[in-house]
Amino acid sequence: MKEIVLQGQGQTMRAAVLEDGELVEVHEEEGMLSRLVGNIYRGRVVNILPGMQAAFVDIGLEKNAFLYVGDAVPFQYDEDEKLPTSTELRVEQVLKPRQELLVQIAKEPVGSKGARITTNLTIPGRYAVLMPHTEYVGVSRKITDEQERSRLREIARAACPPGKGIVVRTLAKGIDAQELVDDLEELVTLWDQVEKKVPHVSIPGLVHQDVNLVARVIRDWIDREVEIITVNQPEVAEGMRQALRELGHPAANHVSLIFQEDIFSRYGIDDKIRHALLSRVWLKSGGYLVIQQTEALSVIDVNTGKYIGEKSLQDTIMHINQEAAAEIARQIRLRNLGGIIIIDFIDMTTEEAKEQLMNVLEKAVAQDKVKCQIMGLTQLGLVEMTRKKVGQTLEVRYGQACPHCEGTGRIEKG
């Protein structure tokens, strides 16, 4: 069972996603400008960095934004795969100092790093994403049925305006053609409004702000698996019911209102967040994970812990590894880990066992709406995977380095 909990307190809105009672995602928004990803700005190139093949761009934030040369030229696609940018292009050929640009934030600023931006703009809707500067029609790779992919592609192709591109989202699977067409028309109308606004915005300046957290919940999270939506504010509950009725979603009849300021405590969500900030995660069997985040990558180690098994060593290892794979997928979503992720499962001796474990992990990460890619096993038996970086990690949002040990977790003896 999938459930969404929304809690509003003052200027803060928090949202949590639970699957079978387990917390898998948590998001928070404070005021109007807490989320930057998806916002579109007019900016000006401040300086070019040939050694990094990138540029710094002033978009009006505290720190200048970072633009890679690959994000400064139109993306190229082959079927549903984005092709790598040509290595022959150099940033000096593409960008000039004081050049004016229309850009979109792709990654939030973190620590001393400014936001990462792109000139390849996207306008997301519920069923599709409009790409105003790219001629391309694609379908989410998570829709695997070839007949359904072809159907959706043909609908999108017929509805896509000349010179623009569309990617059909996973939520579009099985919907009527008219629903997809209506969504696309709304996106085109929204982009027309953005274009008209551009000349009237000073440089640097905000041109378009992505929707708030409640609207993103409706747009991105509420799929056919959502059975219960619990809200603590009457106006939010009624707004969600109305929006879901317009979408014809059955969840409109399952929006519950609880007049309690802190419903996160009622569901034990804050306790679950605190546990997710710990490096050690216990499994139900008695095994455990150790999760460490570094600046370059995240490392996850699997241990048998208290579990001794019942039949044989190989059965014990397989049981722990499969249980760990499911929990690792949940922890990655909950902690919002991104970039390179290395997993050290307990060593397995047979190729059959390794393949079986990879299938379990693939199936577990398939539930994640953020793009994940499992690269396979290295020669050392480590699993390599990547997950797209989206927003801040749970650790950054809810924690800070200890002032006494400066984040090392250790203090001097004596």
Side-chain angles (χ1 to χ4, degrees), residues 77-89:
Y77 292 87
D78 177 20
E79 282 298 312
D80 297 316
E81 197 69 42
K82 188 173 78 175
L83 300 176
T85 304
S86 170
T87 54
E88 296 177 4
L89 286 171

Side-chain angles (χ1 to χ4, degrees), residues 66-79:
F66 195 72
L67 177 63
Y68 282 109
V69 64
D71 293 319
V73 296
F75 289 151
Q76 299 297 316
Y77 292 87
D78 177 20
E79 282 298 312

Side-chain angles (χ1 to χ4, degrees), residues 395-409:
E395 185 178 73
V396 170
R397 279 188 284 152
Y398 288 96
Q400 62 182 23
C402 169
H404 300 287
C405 70
E406 297 182 346
T408 66

Side-chain angles (χ1 to χ4, degrees), residues 325 328 343 345 357-365 374 383 385:
I328 285 167
I343 307 169
F345 286 105
L357 178 60
M358 290 300 97
N359 289 337
V360 171
L361 184 60
E362 293 251 9
K363 187 177 179 181
V365 300
I374 297 174
V383 174
M385 67 173 287

Side-chain angles (χ1 to χ4, degrees), residues 204-259:
L206 176 66
V207 176
H208 169 72
Q209 186 174 346
D210 196 18
V211 295
N212 63 27
L213 181 57
V214 175
R216 290 200 308 277
V217 167
I218 296 169
R219 184 186 72 190
D220 300 336
W221 300 356
I222 299 180
D223 52 25
R224 293 175 180 83
E225 296 175 2
V226 173
E227 296 182 21
I228 302 173
I229 302 168
T230 307
V231 188
N232 75 331
Q233 294 183 329
E235 64 279 11
V236 174
E238 187 51 40
M240 294 194 78
R241 289 191 193 103
Q242 184 61 34
L244 291 169
R245 284 191 200 105
E246 290 173 3
L247 291 169
H249 199 291
N253 301 317
H254 303 288
V255 178
S256 303
L257 175 64
I258 296 180
F259 284 102

Side-chain angles (χ1 to χ4, degrees), residues 120-353:
N120 291 279
L121 311 183
T122 57
I123 307 291
R126 179 167 171 80
Y127 300 123
V129 176
L130 178 70
M131 299 183 293
H133 298 151
T134 306
E135 287 194 76
Y136 164 77
V137 175
V139 178
S140 166
R141 298 180 71 187
K142 289 192 176 183
I143 299 176
T144 55
D145 183 275
E146 287 302 323
Q147 188 174 349
E148 177 65 0
R149 291 177 64 83
S150 298
R151 182 184 78 91
L152 293 170
R153 195 187 301 274
E154 288 307 311
I155 297 167
R157 209 170 259 144
C160 186
K164 292 181 172 56
I166 289 167
V167 174
V168 180
R169 303 183 70 185
T170 310
L171 280 172
K173 182 180 179 181
I175 66 169
D176 293 337
Q178 193 57 49
E179 290 182 87
L180 180 53
V181 170
D182 289 345
D183 195 49
L184 293 175
E185 288 178 351
E186 287 182 16
L187 294 177
V188 172
T189 300
L190 176 57
W191 172 246
D192 288 343
Q193 293 171 354
V194 172
E195 274 195 309
K196 290 175 183 175
K197 187 178 177 182
V198 171
H200 305 288
V201 174
S202 59
I203 302 173
L206 176 66
V207 176
H208 169 72
Q209 186 174 346
D210 196 18
V211 295
N212 63 27
L213 181 57
V214 175
R216 290 200 308 277
V217 167
I218 296 169
R219 184 186 72 190
D220 300 336
W221 300 356
I222 299 180
D223 52 25
R224 293 175 180 83
E225 296 175 2
V226 173
E227 296 182 21
I228 302 173
I229 302 168
T230 307
V231 188
N232 75 331
Q233 294 183 329
E235 64 279 11
V236 174
E238 187 51 40
M240 294 194 78
R241 289 191 193 103
Q242 184 61 34
L244 291 169
R245 284 191 200 105
E246 290 173 3
L247 291 169
H249 199 291
N253 301 317
H254 303 288
V255 178
S256 303
L257 175 64
I258 296 180
F259 284 102
Q260 185 176 330
E261 189 172 341
D262 191 0
I263 55 174
F264 264 42
S265 293
R266 180 189 179 114
Y267 281 81
I269 292 170
D270 286 326
D271 286 338
K272 291 175 181 178
I273 291 172
R274 278 191 284 273
H275 279 105
L277 296 174
L278 301 175
S279 61
R280 181 170 294 195
V281 178
W282 286 98
L283 304 174
K284 290 179 181 178
S285 64
Y288 65 91
L289 312 175
V290 176
I291 303 174
Q292 296 286 349
Q293 298 174 53
T294 73
E295 198 162 326
L297 50 79
S298 298
V299 180
I300 303 175
D301 184 34
V302 181
N303 298 276
T304 54
K306 304 172 185 176
Y307 183 67
I308 57 174
E310 296 177 358
K311 297 180 181 178
S312 67
L313 176 60
Q314 291 308 310
D315 283 338
T316 299
I317 291 171
M318 198 59 188
H319 179 86
I320 286 286
N321 279 344
Q322 289 191 3
E323 184 185 14
E327 182 61 25
I328 285 167
R330 187 179 78 88
Q331 289 291 330
I332 287 171
R333 287 174 68 189
L334 177 55
R335 296 170 186 244
N336 198 26
L337 301 182
I340 300 169
I341 300 170
I342 303 295
I343 307 169
D344 185 10
F345 286 105
I346 302 168
D347 289 341
M348 295 167 290
T349 56
T350 68
E351 291 302 316
E352 182 183 359

